[in-house]
Each structure stands twice: as structure tokens, then as C-alpha cells.
Amino acid sequence: MELYIKAAPDGKSVGDCPFAHFVRAVLETKGLDYKVYPCCKETKPSWLLDNHQGKMPCLRNGDDIVTESSVIVDYLDETFADSKIRCENDIQALEATSGIFPALARFIKKTSFDEELKTNLTAELKKLDSYLSNCSGPFLCGDKPSLADLSLAPKLYHLKTTLSEFYPQCLEEMIPAGVSAYIEKALSIPAVSKTSYPREVVLAGWNAARQ
């Protein structure tokens, strides 16, 4: 299998896309063999540009070509069903955490501090804290990481990295203790840590978005 993803600023190494990170974490969790092709605008293959609007992440498995991270993960779970990573509460967990990354993006992309955007992101993190308090284990679906954790962990890596860089004075106020503890657990999931990328790559992506 081949996975085409956003490249880092050097045009060659793995970039900062949390959605590609999610797909790679799923591939690692399932123990599947795949090769990563980091691409920039100039190095995307012609078939990806001509037939799939250049969308990434893009998975190519033989004749099957799939784009969009959620669709790719569905494909992987159906095609390689021997190692299911879903749990019965994944949909509920995904819904409960779906607002975090959009709220983070709005807050960080604005170059000047915005109290309302900070409040909105804090509310989403409090929602996660409330959800975690009702979980039966350290992860969103219990004792073991599942699809929801693999989806959320890369976004929380961006959260931790950007807040510590741009608004370090807000970290303690914005991130509840339960969420902070969960972030450390989520980023320590082997499939997540193995497929991660340097802090400076994350910041390069957001600095470009803030210009």
C-alpha cells in the first residue's frame, strides 16, 4: 500500500497534517505494510492531481484509491477486518470531541489574541474533560485505545504544541487536569508516537496559516 501525505517544509519528510497522522496510526495499529510518500504541490503524482483533485491523505492499494482520512480508515477497517480497532462507543466519542480541532484552528490562525475564540476552545476542552470523567478506563472507550483515540491524539498534539508556543500563559487555565493527563496517555500510544513528526514541523504549518 502507498500513502500520499502532506510534506514538511523541506518537501521530503512527513508534514504536520493531523488527518494523515490519524491514518498512519491506524495502519500501524493494524500492523499493515505501507510506504509513505510525502508530497508538496510540485511533487504530487499526475494521477492524484488529475483524478482526485490532489486530495491528501490518499491511500492507494492496488486498484483501490481512497481519499479523506475518515473514508480511508473505514476502508482499512473493512478490508483488513481481522484487527478491528473500533469500539461500540467510538461514534459517541468522535461526536463529543469533534469541535476541538475547528475551535483550535480558529483561535491559533488569528494572529491577535481573541478572548471569544479562547473561550470557545476552552469550552470544547471542558466538554472533553466531562466525557473523560465518565469513561470506564484511561481512553475514550475504556482500557484500550480505539479509533476515537487515534483520531483525537494527533489533534491534541497540535493543541499542546501551538498553545505552548503562542499562548503559554493560557495553558493551565484552558486545559483541565483530566484532559492534560489524557493528552500524555494519547500521545504515548505506540502507533501515535511512532508516526509523529517534530514540534518545529507543526509550528511551521501553523505559522504559515497565520500569515
Side-chain angles (χ1 to χ4, degrees), residues 41-185:
K41 185 177 180 181
E42 293 76 21
T43 59
K44 289 181 182 180
S46 58
W47 59 263
L48 181 58
L49 291 168
D50 296 342
N51 302 325
H52 304 280
Q53 297 79 51
K55 291 180 179 179
M56 298 188 297
C58 176
L59 182 78
R60 184 160 73 167
N61 182 32
D63 293 332
D64 295 335
I65 298 175
V66 191
T67 60
E68 307 289 351
S69 59
S70 60
V71 181
I72 293 171
V73 169
D74 286 343
Y75 169 84
L76 291 171
D77 227 24
E78 292 168 6
T79 306
F80 305 96
D82 290 346
S83 53
K84 289 283 187 180
I85 57 172
R86 295 181 184 277
C87 81
E88 60 181 16
N89 293 327
D90 266 328
I91 293 177
Q92 182 182 356
L94 288 166
E95 289 176 351
T97 59
S98 63
I100 292 175
F101 194 70
L104 173 68
R106 287 190 289 269
F107 183 49
I108 297 300
K109 281 183 178 180
K110 191 166 184 179
T111 53
S112 59
F113 178 81
D114 189 305
E115 185 67 38
E116 182 179 356
L117 295 180
K118 173 196 166 190
T119 299
N120 292 342
L121 176 56
T122 303
E124 293 296 335
L125 294 172
K126 287 180 178 178
K127 189 187 301 183
L128 171 58
D129 190 45
S130 177
Y131 189 90
L132 288 167
S133 69
N134 293 310
C135 292
S136 59
F139 296 103
L140 294 174
C141 286
D143 292 328
K144 295 181 179 180
S146 69
L147 181 74
D149 298 289
L150 299 181
S151 173
L152 184 58
K155 298 163 188 171
L156 293 178
Y157 177 40
H158 282 245
L159 174 90
K160 178 182 178 181
T161 303
T162 54
L163 287 183
S164 65
E165 175 70 15
F166 300 115
Y167 300 112
Q169 72 279 10
C170 298
L171 269 174
E172 191 171 332
E173 175 190 352
M174 294 181 68
I175 304 179
V179 172
S180 183
Y182 172 76
I183 290 174
E184 298 310 311
K185 291 188 185 78

